[in-house]
Amino acid sequence: MTLIYLAGPIDAVSLQEANNWRLKAEEDLGAAGIASYNPAAAFSVPPSYTDAGGRARIIDINFSALRFSNAVLAFVGGKSFGTPIEVWQALFEYKIPVFSWGLAERSIYRDIIRVHSTYDDALKSLVEWSDARGPTPGPLAPGFQPQGGESDE
């Protein structure tokens, strides 16, 4: 199973803005047989999660999902604190590709992120990449040792 992390602004935009493209991505990726993780709608947040400890737990959950993902589909054109961190982690810590739209044509990131002019172009490129790499046994954390099996490293 291929798992795609859906990165983009959440806190600095309305819930509708944060979720509209992600809901479309979930549908489009699902139609292509690809699973996705939507950090904007992954869980319901009770008022107790507005404290620093609660926010840290949410960040931990989302970073865990990113760690288990095979690639990232990212809208990087809006105000966001978390998206640049997620993109950096994907590229440099987890070494997974990032398919994005929303960056200016002259962005310094064009050499390391797969930049597209529209969501549809980014999605098409991601699906082609997924099809070319073929099915995967499932996203496993580095060093994960399944019972009776071999490590994924």
Side-chain angles (χ1 to χ4, degrees), residues 115-144:
V115 178
H116 302 279
S117 51
T118 66
Y119 161 84
D120 289 330
D121 291 342
L123 178 76
K124 180 181 178 204
S125 180
L126 188 153
V127 170
E128 289 171 354
W129 168 84
S130 179
D131 288 346
R133 70 190 289 270
T136 60
L140 300 177
F144 177 78

